[in-house]
Amino acid sequence: MRLKFVFAFVILFFSMLLVRIYYLSIKSNEFYEQVAKNNVISTEYIPPVRGQILDAKGRPLAINNLGFSLSIAPHLKDAALQSELNNISRYFKDLNVTAMSKSYKDANSAYNQDFIEVVPFLDYNATIQHFASLSLHENIKISPASQRFYPYGALASHIIGYVGRANKKDIQSNPLSALTGYNGRSGVEGYYNELLQGSKGERKTKVTALNQVVEEISMQEPSSSEISLTIDLELQKYLEEIFKDKDGVAIVMDLRDGAIIAAGSFPEYDLNTFVGGISQAQWDELIKDPRHPFTNKLVNGLYPPGSVIKMAVGMSFLNSGKINENWSVFCSGAIELGGRKFRCWKSWGHGRVSLVEAIKGSCDVYFYEGSLLVGIDYMSAYLQRLGFGSKTGVDLPNEFVGTMPNKAWKMQKFKRAWYQGETVNASIGQGDVLVTPMQVAKNTAQIASGKAITPHFLKSIDGKPVEFAPTELFTPKEKAQLPLVRRGMYEVGNNPDGGTAYKLIHTAVVPLAVKTGTAQVVGISQTTKKRMKEADMDYFHRSHAWMTSFGPYDKPQYAVTVLVEHGGGGGSAAGPVIMQIYEKLAQMGYIDANATTIKDSAKKTK
């Protein structure tokens, strides 16, 4: 029995020994073979050069300056590190030694075997004269680098956007930014960041134990895409010139597909300030500026629309089933509701008006009375269908939706019931109604074209056009109503008998359909008998001035929307800007002033 036990133990022992020999000689060999391969094959990732941004005619809006970066070998002691930092600062006296030291120490660790970047970018010409001297320092590595540059500084800043140094949050969501060092922050730089950033390259080499390259095994070049925008640099410069002493927004949109050929949020800011890092003092100055240069007012500016929303409100009336195109009201200058007077802007009234006349004269009472018949819920739902209270889809990041209020919205937000007085306020674009200029421009373009349009800035990727085809939006019934709304807009600028913008618009280079809007910034007391003139008010208490338009009226090609912040009356402040823009469009050949057929017949109706 004892012999059997010894025999079994010997067999078990030798079995375990054989298994261990097998593992060490066969299985573990595969592991160590892979480790050996990793030891002799070095993989280097190559950052892509960010793609350029061009205007519609191929002129550069965002490019890359070529230069160098400086890195220092890892694991240096304090004295050796300080010596190398002093060597660098000897050649480049403007560099901050403390900042370089911090960058090095933050990235240095026992596990890091790569050189540590301490200077992300140096100008090519400034570096090349010291290149040979720097190369003599074995602990300093000079590498090719690029840095974003915006040739026109502040021009179209809210459209182009900027890149900034990648932080930890960026790297978590976009690992490639750890290699490139930059991430798109705003504008199309942010929206199309992946396209512009591209993909990394990869170089595999066989190296010795001392990390000397013996042989290149494979090489995959990095790649990125160049994009062209729809904006025209010349027209963009013209908008900047017009708004040099104004704050606000201008949008010029092609009605064929929603391409925006020029747009601006004013004032603008210099994009190059952000590329290398902005100082706290510069940041504070930008953020605290009451003119809000850092806000992209195209999509993040929320304003009461005033009367520029009346075309959409009028269409909600016609489609409610409660009002038709012949329905009219008598405007005596105000209505009384719940013991409160709701005034028309024209204190002596418009007399009897229907839809076309109400748009022409911007009669508030017509919209007050209509809204009370239709109700806020239907009106709100219809305007949301036309694009208010929702994103336009424009290719800019963080677009706001605005507010198109209704009963449920108020209950959810304020836990209070809706009042009829709020309905009449909403019908003329006041109260809780808030829109972005892009929403107003899109709505105008859809009224003019009869199609659903997506406003956009992207024209092509690597020279290949990108299509933004319009789709159907309006029902056959609504399409039959559009001529009424368009006619009302035409009368605004071309009918001497009550057209609110006639004096400003009737001499336009082509016949225009327009709508003025004056959006109050501060309320008017019920006890006020005569309203103070806008010019006499404090600047920031003056109303915002709107005008939205399309033209030529008979053959619509472009929609132009303008908002002048605190400009006072819509026509007087925004009208001259609209006129200048259409004149420039004709001058540049975007519009043929001789192709329209309506001017002679229009003169006969005046």
Side-chain angles (χ1 to χ4, degrees), residues 262-313:
S265 169
F266 303 98
E268 298 176 309
Y269 62 95
D270 190 349
L271 296 169
N272 292 308
T273 307
F274 287 85
V275 177
I278 188 170
S279 70
Q280 188 62 48
Q282 289 173 309
W283 176 252
D284 289 342
E285 183 181 357
L286 198 60
I287 291 300
K288 293 176 182 177
D289 190 330
R291 299 171 65 202
H292 304 291
F294 199 54
T295 299
N296 187 346
K297 298 168 186 176
L298 293 164
V299 294
N300 301 137
L302 293 176
Y303 305 89
S307 295
V308 293
I309 207 171
K310 285 178 177 175
M311 293 83 72
V313 173

Side-chain angles (χ1 to χ4, degrees), residues 22-225:
Y22 170 78
Y23 177 78
L24 290 173
S25 60
I26 307 297
K27 297 298 290 181
S28 65
N29 180 64
E30 296 175 4
F31 170 77
Y32 288 109
E33 184 179 359
Q34 186 60 45
V35 170
K37 285 181 179 178
N38 291 339
N39 285 338
V40 298
I41 297 175
S42 173
T43 301
E44 176 188 4
Y45 295 111
I46 308 166
V49 176
R50 194 171 182 86
Q52 294 188 114
I53 301 175
L54 312 175
D55 88 329
K57 297 179 180 177
R59 294 167 291 202
L61 300 173
I63 60 175
N64 303 295
N65 280 339
L66 300 180
F68 299 95
S69 66
L70 297 181
S71 304
I72 296 178
H75 312 143
L76 295 185
K77 302 296 183 184
D78 287 346
L81 172 62
Q82 192 60 47
S83 174
E84 298 300 354
L85 293 176
N86 290 339
N87 287 330
I88 293 173
S89 63
R90 185 184 309 133
Y91 301 115
F92 306 101
K93 299 187 183 302
D94 293 337
L95 293 179
N96 188 318
V97 173
T98 303
M100 289 191 289
S101 177
K102 184 178 185 305
S103 296
Y104 182 89
K105 290 177 179 179
D106 286 348
N108 193 29
S109 74
Y111 303 100
N112 179 43
Q113 305 302 318
D114 299 322
F115 275 66
I116 298 167
E117 184 179 86
V118 293
V119 182
F121 184 81
L122 288 169
D123 178 73
Y124 179 88
N125 293 325
T127 309
I128 202 69
Q129 57 186 310
H130 304 300
F131 192 92
S133 300
L134 283 168
S135 299
L136 295 175
H137 300 276
E138 62 179 16
N139 286 328
I140 297 176
K141 180 181 178 183
I142 311 169
S143 305
S146 64
Q147 186 178 70
R148 205 59 157 173
F149 179 68
Y150 303 98
Y152 301 98
L155 185 73
S157 55
H158 297 92
I159 298 168
I160 299 168
Y162 65 92
V163 298
R165 295 291 297 173
N167 54 36
K168 290 181 180 178
K169 186 177 178 181
D170 295 326
I171 293 169
Q172 285 177 352
S173 60
N174 175 24
L176 185 54
S177 64
L179 187 63
T180 63
Y182 292 96
N183 204 56
R185 287 272 181 263
S186 65
V188 297
E189 286 274 32
Y191 194 91
Y192 293 113
N193 184 62
E194 287 190 16
L195 269 176
L196 293 165
Q197 179 181 250
S199 56
K200 64 187 177 185
E202 186 179 274
R203 180 176 182 244
K204 289 188 176 182
T205 54
K206 189 176 289 185
V207 296
T208 65
L210 297 176
N211 207 35
Q212 295 175 327
V213 177
V214 175
E215 177 188 354
E216 182 174 280
I217 298 173
S218 65
M219 176 68 175
Q220 179 184 338
E221 295 287 347
S223 63
S224 62
S225 292

Side-chain angles (χ1 to χ4, degrees), residues 332-346:
S332 62
I335 67 167
E336 191 165 328
L337 185 67
R340 178 183 173 187
K341 276 193 174 182
F342 290 86
R343 300 180 180 94
C344 183
W345 73 268
K346 192 173 182 180

